[in-house]
Amino acid sequence: MGLGNEQIESMAADANAAQTWVSQNVATFLPATRISFISVGNEVLTLNNMQLISNLLPAMENIHAALVALNLDGEVKVSTPHSYAALNLSFPPSAGSFRPDLAQTFMEPILDFLTHTNSVFMANVYPFFSYSNNPRDISLSYALCAQTDQEVTDPNTGLSYRNLLSAQVDAVYSAIDKLGYHDLTVVVSETGWPSKGDANEEGAGIQNAMNYNKNLISYITTTSGTPLRPQQAIDVYIFALFNENEKPGPTSERNFGLFNPDGSAVYDCGLMKDQVDPTLPIPVSSQTPSPVSSVNLTIQNPPAQQSPGSFSGSGGNKEWCVAKQGITDIALAAAINYACGEGGADCAAIQPDGACYNPNTYTSHASYAFNNYYQKSGRNSWNCDFRNSATTTTSDPTYGGCIYPSA
């Protein structure tokens, strides 16, 4: 869960505002939604905005106090993501240190807060930028997390590194250690590789982006930690889900996503299925779109969500949830995957032998799946959204032998 830089000042100035924010944006969605962290701001210490910097820790403290008041501080931790530019030195990893203007005045109090609240240190780590700025001295395979036979040895520790990411993470650990905080865990809050770049952005491209994220996933899932912290698992968040086509800056800044803004895939790095789940209905026509990757849509459910066992709802009015007209087949297929998979909807009726298989279209199948999920989940407005692909109706969509249940 993220709290934007633009909200930091108000959260720092008003504990009641922080309490309201946590109640509305966090507590309301627990335990139905798993929320592990609240990231307060992003890369604040390197923005050269002293007012924002001075308000960062008070905002974190007020957000944490709100969690304590709601007895949620054991479940949800507060941290803030830092730019790798907060380091003064990063090579070799053992020489890692924070910038002198940040270390004791600003970084140390944050480290103290994270330690006392049992939270984590978040760092945005991008091997791409290091490689792009210095392709002569950094090999591409090393930057792409390829785990090749090439090793870079830290002369101070004798530790060997087979990819740049692990070296960069250990540089962050070294910087933290130098300030006397030895028990904090580093979480990679952002990492990724752009699929496009300007002419001077060495290494940007689809193939390298796909290889980096594939290699990253393989490395994270097959290693127990970094050379400096071999028993500390590495938690990594890939940036980003979508390309940000309106983001300013160089071309790379708009092209870190796995998907385009219209929902089509930029590339498959192994996180997605090769096609829509084969247990789900796949409409076949002359205009069938390319195979769709499985995407988990974020469906906001209230804490008191009813178990998906029986249909129920508030009030006596009959209401159904159906697909909106004009939604792309790609978006509908992803929504069907969610509803019939993680969402727990009963989609047997839209299988090939089912009563609702025909008409064999994404819109028809999505409508049945959406409604089944909606009726089982409590018939609240947030149960009929599916990324704005669905809407409620009081007109019974039942046809022939295809029965749409309602409360």
Side-chain angles (χ1 to χ4, degrees):
M1 175 71 69
L3 188 150
N5 289 351
E6 71 280 0
Q7 298 173 285
I8 288 176
E9 185 174 358
S10 62
M11 295 298 133
D14 189 351
N16 290 330
Q19 179 81 47
T20 299
W21 188 91
V22 170
S23 296
Q24 293 179 347
N25 295 282
V26 180
T28 300
F29 303 106
L30 295 173
T33 303
R34 186 177 69 178
I35 302 175
S36 300
F37 300 106
I38 298 173
S39 59
V40 178
N42 187 47
E43 301 186 345
V44 172
L45 296 189
T46 50
L47 292 179
N48 297 320
N49 182 329
M50 290 308 301
Q51 182 173 358
L52 197 61
I53 291 174
S54 62
N55 281 322
L56 177 59
L57 183 56
M60 295 171 68
E61 291 172 334
N62 280 345
I63 293 294
H64 174 70
L67 291 170
V68 171
L70 294 170
N71 198 29
L72 296 175
D73 55 303
E75 180 178 356
V76 182
K77 301 298 181 181
V78 177
S79 189
T80 184
H82 298 281
S83 166
Y84 200 66
L87 293 184
N88 183 47
L89 294 174
S90 61
F91 184 82
S94 59
S97 61
F98 292 115
R99 284 168 32 185
D101 60 318
L102 299 178
Q104 293 185 333
T105 305
F106 300 109
M107 191 64 77
E108 192 168 336
I110 289 176
L111 295 176
D112 194 61
F113 168 83
L114 297 177
T115 298
H116 283 93
T117 59
N118 196 30
S119 189
V120 299
F121 185 92
M122 291 183 170
N124 297 340
V125 182
Y126 288 91
F128 164 73
F129 292 117
S130 297
Y131 171 77
S132 185
N133 291 330
N134 192 15
R136 291 184 179 180
D137 296 329
I138 300 175
S139 76
L140 181 59
S141 60
Y142 185 69
L144 289 175
C145 211
Q147 291 294 92
T148 63
D149 291 336
Q150 174 193 4
E151 292 185 348
V152 176
T153 301
D154 187 322
N156 299 322
T157 63
L159 296 174
S160 295
Y161 294 85
R162 296 177 60 196
N163 67 73
L164 182 53
L165 178 78
S166 61
Q168 291 180 318
V169 170
D170 276 356
V172 176
Y173 271 120
S174 294
I176 294 171
D177 287 345
K178 286 180 174 62
L179 292 180
Y181 295 86
H182 307 293
D183 298 323
L184 280 172
T185 297
V186 173
V187 167
V188 179
S189 41
E190 288 184 18
T191 192
W193 198 284
S195 57
K196 289 182 183 178
D198 293 324
N200 64 343
E201 295 187 290
E202 187 77 25
I206 285 183
Q207 191 63 48
N208 285 343
M210 180 175 66
N211 287 342
Y212 176 75
N213 282 319
K214 279 187 174 181
N215 294 338
L216 172 69
I217 294 166
S218 175
Y219 172 64
I220 295 302
T221 56
T222 59
T223 188
S224 58
T226 66
L228 191 60
R229 294 287 193 277
Q231 301 306 316
Q232 179 60 59
I234 311 171
D235 286 338
V236 170
Y237 292 83
I238 293 177
F239 184 89
L241 185 59
F242 290 100
N243 281 336
E244 300 171 279
N245 59 318
E246 296 185 359
K247 189 174 184 179
T251 299
S252 63
E253 288 294 324
R254 293 180 288 282
N255 289 281
F256 275 90
L258 302 180
F259 292 89
N260 291 304
D262 64 2
S264 60
V266 178
Y267 59 87
D268 182 359
C269 65
L271 288 177
M272 301 171 283
K273 297 178 182 178
D274 291 334
Q275 59 184 14
V276 178
D277 192 327
T279 64
L280 303 181
I282 309 296
V284 178
S285 73
S286 59
Q287 297 180 338
T288 298
S290 301
V292 182
S293 302
S294 176
V295 179
N296 288 335
L297 303 184
T298 301
I299 309 298
Q300 296 179 341
N301 294 319
Q305 179 183 5
Q306 300 175 9
S307 61
S310 59
F311 298 110
S312 62
S314 57
N317 296 327
K318 289 188 175 183
E319 201 170 57
W320 295 264
C321 176
V322 296
K324 289 182 178 179
Q325 297 299 313
I327 304 299
T328 66
D329 287 343
I330 288 175
L332 291 176
I336 292 170
N337 262 351
Y338 175 84
C340 299
E342 183 180 341
D346 181 359
C347 296
I350 49 176
Q351 295 296 329
D353 295 329
C356 302
Y357 180 71
N358 289 313
N360 183 21
T361 66
Y362 281 112
T363 300
S364 178
H365 287 184
S367 291
Y368 185 88
F370 290 177
N371 184 67
N372 195 280
Y373 175 89
Y374 173 70
Q375 302 296 342
K376 288 185 175 182
S377 300
R379 299 178 73 237
N380 301 289
S381 59
W382 50 82
N383 303 130
C384 186
D385 181 72
F386 295 92
R387 290 274 178 90
N388 203 30
S389 294
T391 186
T392 56
T393 179
T394 55
S395 298
D396 189 352
T398 293
Y399 62 93
C402 178
I403 309 299
Y404 277 61
S406 66

Short mmCIF file of all heavy atoms in Angstrom, two decimals, residues 271-300:
data_model
loop_
_atom_site.label_atom_id
_atom_site.label_comp_id
_atom_site.label_asym_id
_atom_site.label_seq_id
_atom_site.Cartn_x
_atom_site.Cartn_y
_atom_site.Cartn_z
N LEU A 271 6.06 -14.94 -15.49
CA LEU A 271 5.08 -14.77 -14.42
C LEU A 271 3.67 -15.09 -14.89
O LEU A 271 2.79 -15.36 -14.09
CB LEU A 271 5.10 -13.33 -13.90
CG LEU A 271 6.31 -12.92 -13.07
CD1 LEU A 271 6.21 -11.44 -12.71
CD2 LEU A 271 6.40 -13.77 -11.80
N MET A 272 3.49 -15.06 -16.21
CA MET A 272 2.16 -15.23 -16.78
C MET A 272 2.03 -16.60 -17.43
O MET A 272 3.02 -17.20 -17.84
CB MET A 272 1.89 -14.13 -17.81
CG MET A 272 1.98 -12.74 -17.22
SD MET A 272 1.93 -11.46 -18.49
CE MET A 272 3.60 -11.55 -19.14
N LYS A 273 0.80 -17.05 -17.53
CA LYS A 273 0.54 -18.29 -18.23
C LYS A 273 0.67 -18.06 -19.73
O LYS A 273 0.49 -16.95 -20.23
CB LYS A 273 -0.85 -18.82 -17.89
CG LYS A 273 -1.01 -19.18 -16.42
CD LYS A 273 -2.42 -19.66 -16.13
CE LYS A 273 -2.60 -19.96 -14.64
NZ LYS A 273 -3.98 -20.38 -14.34
N ASP A 274 0.96 -19.13 -20.47
CA ASP A 274 1.11 -18.99 -21.91
C ASP A 274 -0.23 -18.70 -22.58
O ASP A 274 -0.29 -18.19 -23.69
CB ASP A 274 1.71 -20.27 -22.51
CG ASP A 274 3.15 -20.45 -22.09
OD1 ASP A 274 3.80 -19.43 -21.79
OD2 ASP A 274 3.63 -21.59 -22.06
N GLN A 275 -1.30 -19.07 -21.92
CA GLN A 275 -2.62 -18.83 -22.47
C GLN A 275 -3.62 -18.81 -21.34
O GLN A 275 -3.27 -19.03 -20.19
CB GLN A 275 -3.00 -19.94 -23.46
CG GLN A 275 -3.00 -21.33 -22.83
CD GLN A 275 -3.29 -22.41 -23.85
OE1 GLN A 275 -3.24 -22.18 -25.04
NE2 GLN A 275 -3.60 -23.59 -23.38
N VAL A 276 -4.84 -18.48 -21.65
CA VAL A 276 -5.88 -18.49 -20.63
C VAL A 276 -5.97 -19.88 -20.04
O VAL A 276 -5.82 -20.88 -20.72
CB VAL A 276 -7.23 -18.07 -21.25
CG1 VAL A 276 -8.33 -18.12 -20.21
CG2 VAL A 276 -7.12 -16.66 -21.84
N ASP A 277 -6.21 -19.95 -18.72
CA ASP A 277 -6.31 -21.22 -18.03
C ASP A 277 -7.16 -22.21 -18.82
O ASP A 277 -8.33 -21.94 -19.12
CB ASP A 277 -6.95 -20.97 -16.65
CG ASP A 277 -6.84 -22.17 -15.73
OD1 ASP A 277 -6.88 -23.30 -16.25
OD2 ASP A 277 -6.74 -21.97 -14.52
N PRO A 278 -6.60 -23.39 -19.18
CA PRO A 278 -7.35 -24.32 -20.02
C PRO A 278 -8.60 -24.88 -19.37
O PRO A 278 -9.45 -25.45 -20.04
CB PRO A 278 -6.32 -25.44 -20.29
CG PRO A 278 -5.31 -25.30 -19.20
CD PRO A 278 -5.24 -23.85 -18.88
N THR A 279 -8.74 -24.72 -18.06
CA THR A 279 -9.96 -25.20 -17.41
C THR A 279 -11.10 -24.20 -17.56
O THR A 279 -12.22 -24.48 -17.18
CB THR A 279 -9.73 -25.45 -15.91
OG1 THR A 279 -9.42 -24.19 -15.27
CG2 THR A 279 -8.57 -26.41 -15.69
N LEU A 280 -10.79 -23.02 -18.11
CA LEU A 280 -11.81 -22.00 -18.27
C LEU A 280 -12.29 -21.96 -19.71
O LEU A 280 -11.60 -22.42 -20.62
CB LEU A 280 -11.24 -20.63 -17.86
CG LEU A 280 -10.69 -20.56 -16.44
CD1 LEU A 280 -10.18 -19.16 -16.15
CD2 LEU A 280 -11.75 -20.95 -15.42
N PRO A 281 -13.48 -21.42 -19.96
CA PRO A 281 -14.03 -21.40 -21.32
C PRO A 281 -13.25 -20.48 -22.23
O PRO A 281 -12.97 -19.34 -21.89
CB PRO A 281 -15.45 -20.89 -21.09
CG PRO A 281 -15.36 -20.07 -19.84
CD PRO A 281 -14.37 -20.78 -18.97
N ILE A 282 -12.88 -20.94 -23.40
CA ILE A 282 -12.17 -20.14 -24.39
C ILE A 282 -13.06 -19.96 -25.60
O ILE A 282 -13.26 -20.89 -26.38
CB ILE A 282 -10.85 -20.82 -24.83
CG1 ILE A 282 -10.04 -21.23 -23.59
CG2 ILE A 282 -10.06 -19.90 -25.73
CD1 ILE A 282 -9.59 -20.06 -22.75
N PRO A 283 -13.66 -18.78 -25.79
CA PRO A 283 -14.48 -18.57 -26.97
C PRO A 283 -13.66 -18.74 -28.24
O PRO A 283 -12.51 -18.33 -28.30
CB PRO A 283 -14.95 -17.12 -26.79
CG PRO A 283 -14.82 -16.84 -25.34
CD PRO A 283 -13.64 -17.64 -24.89
N VAL A 284 -14.24 -19.35 -29.23
CA VAL A 284 -13.55 -19.56 -30.50
C VAL A 284 -14.36 -18.92 -31.61
O VAL A 284 -15.54 -19.17 -31.76
CB VAL A 284 -13.38 -21.07 -30.80
CG1 VAL A 284 -12.73 -21.27 -32.14
CG2 VAL A 284 -12.56 -21.73 -29.70
N SER A 285 -13.72 -18.04 -32.36
CA SER A 285 -14.37 -17.40 -33.50
C SER A 285 -13.29 -16.94 -34.45
O SER A 285 -12.10 -17.04 -34.17
CB SER A 285 -15.22 -16.21 -33.04
OG SER A 285 -14.37 -15.14 -32.66
N SER A 286 -13.70 -16.42 -35.58
CA SER A 286 -12.71 -15.94 -36.55
C SER A 286 -11.97 -14.72 -36.03
O SER A 286 -10.94 -14.34 -36.56
CB SER A 286 -13.42 -15.57 -37.86
OG SER A 286 -14.40 -14.56 -37.62
N GLN A 287 -12.50 -14.11 -34.96
CA GLN A 287 -11.86 -12.92 -34.41
C GLN A 287 -11.28 -13.18 -33.03
O GLN A 287 -11.10 -12.26 -32.24
CB GLN A 287 -12.85 -11.76 -34.34
CG GLN A 287 -13.36 -11.34 -35.72
CD GLN A 287 -14.33 -10.20 -35.63
OE1 GLN A 287 -14.94 -9.96 -34.60
NE2 GLN A 287 -14.48 -9.47 -36.72
N THR A 288 -11.00 -14.44 -32.73
CA THR A 288 -10.44 -14.77 -31.43
C THR A 288 -9.11 -14.05 -31.25
O THR A 288 -8.24 -14.13 -32.11
CB THR A 288 -10.20 -16.28 -31.29
OG1 THR A 288 -11.44 -16.94 -31.39
CG2 THR A 288 -9.57 -16.61 -29.94
N PRO A 289 -8.92 -13.30 -30.15
CA PRO A 289 -7.67 -12.57 -29.95
C PRO A 289 -6.53 -13.51 -29.61
O PRO A 289 -6.73 -14.69 -29.39
CB PRO A 289 -7.99 -11.65 -28.77
CG PRO A 289 -9.06 -12.37 -28.01
CD PRO A 289 -9.88 -13.09 -29.06
N SER A 290 -5.34 -12.94 -29.57
CA SER A 290 -4.17 -13.73 -29.19
C SER A 290 -4.35 -14.27 -27.79
O SER A 290 -5.10 -13.72 -26.99
CB SER A 290 -2.91 -12.85 -29.25
OG SER A 290 -2.74 -12.34 -30.56
N PRO A 291 -3.64 -15.37 -27.44
CA PRO A 291 -3.76 -15.93 -26.10
C PRO A 291 -3.54 -14.87 -25.04
O PRO A 291 -2.66 -14.01 -25.17
CB PRO A 291 -2.66 -16.99 -26.07
CG PRO A 291 -2.49 -17.38 -27.50
CD PRO A 291 -2.74 -16.14 -28.29
N VAL A 292 -4.33 -14.91 -23.99
CA VAL A 292 -4.29 -13.91 -22.95
C VAL A 292 -3.61 -14.46 -21.72
O VAL A 292 -3.87 -15.57 -21.30
CB VAL A 292 -5.73 -13.47 -22.59
CG1 VAL A 292 -5.70 -12.38 -21.53
CG2 VAL A 292 -6.45 -12.98 -23.83
N SER A 293 -2.74 -13.68 -21.15
CA SER A 293 -2.06 -14.11 -19.94
C SER A 293 -2.98 -13.96 -18.74
O SER A 293 -3.83 -13.08 -18.69
CB SER A 293 -0.80 -13.26 -19.72
OG SER A 293 0.06 -13.37 -20.84
N SER A 294 -2.78 -14.82 -17.75
CA SER A 294 -3.60 -14.77 -16.55
C SER A 294 -3.17 -13.60 -15.69
O SER A 294 -2.01 -13.45 -15.34
CB SER A 294 -3.44 -16.07 -15.77
OG SER A 294 -4.15 -16.02 -14.57
N VAL A 295 -4.11 -12.72 -15.34
CA VAL A 295 -3.82 -11.56 -14.53
C VAL A 295 -4.74 -11.56 -13.33
O VAL A 295 -5.95 -11.71 -13.47
CB VAL A 295 -4.02 -10.25 -15.33
CG1 VAL A 295 -3.72 -9.05 -14.46
CG2 VAL A 295 -3.14 -10.25 -16.56
N ASN A 296 -4.20 -11.42 -12.14
CA ASN A 296 -5.03 -11.34 -10.96
C ASN A 296 -5.53 -9.91 -10.80
O ASN A 296 -4.75 -9.00 -10.53
CB ASN A 296 -4.23 -11.74 -9.71
CG ASN A 296 -3.97 -13.22 -9.68
OD1 ASN A 296 -4.70 -13.99 -10.28
ND2 ASN A 296 -2.92 -13.64 -8.99
N LEU A 297 -6.81 -9.68 -10.98
CA LEU A 297 -7.37 -8.36 -10.81
C LEU A 297 -7.53 -8.08 -9.33
O LEU A 297 -7.81 -8.97 -8.54
CB LEU A 297 -8.74 -8.26 -11.50
CG LEU A 297 -8.76 -8.59 -12.98
CD1 LEU A 297 -10.16 -8.37 -13.52
CD2 LEU A 297 -7.77 -7.75 -13.74
N THR A 298 -7.34 -6.82 -8.95
CA THR A 298 -7.52 -6.44 -7.56
C THR A 298 -8.98 -6.15 -7.31
O THR A 298 -9.53 -5.19 -7.80
CB THR A 298 -6.68 -5.18 -7.24
OG1 THR A 298 -5.31 -5.47 -7.52
CG2 THR A 298 -6.82 -4.80 -5.78
N ILE A 299 -9.60 -7.03 -6.55
CA ILE A 299 -11.01 -6.86 -6.21
C ILE A 299 -11.09 -6.49 -4.74
O ILE A 299 -10.65 -7.23 -3.88
CB ILE A 299 -11.80 -8.17 -6.45
CG1 ILE A 299 -11.52 -8.70 -7.86
CG2 ILE A 299 -13.27 -7.95 -6.23
CD1 ILE A 299 -11.95 -7.77 -8.97
N GLN A 300 -11.63 -5.33 -4.45
CA GLN A 300 -11.68 -4.87 -3.08
C GLN A 300 -12.88 -5.49 -2.38
O GLN A 300 -14.02 -5.23 -2.70
CB GLN A 300 -11.77 -3.34 -3.04
CG GLN A 300 -10.52 -2.67 -3.63
CD GLN A 300 -10.63 -1.18 -3.61
OE1 GLN A 300 -11.72 -0.63 -3.50
NE2 GLN A 300 -9.51 -0.51 -3.71
#
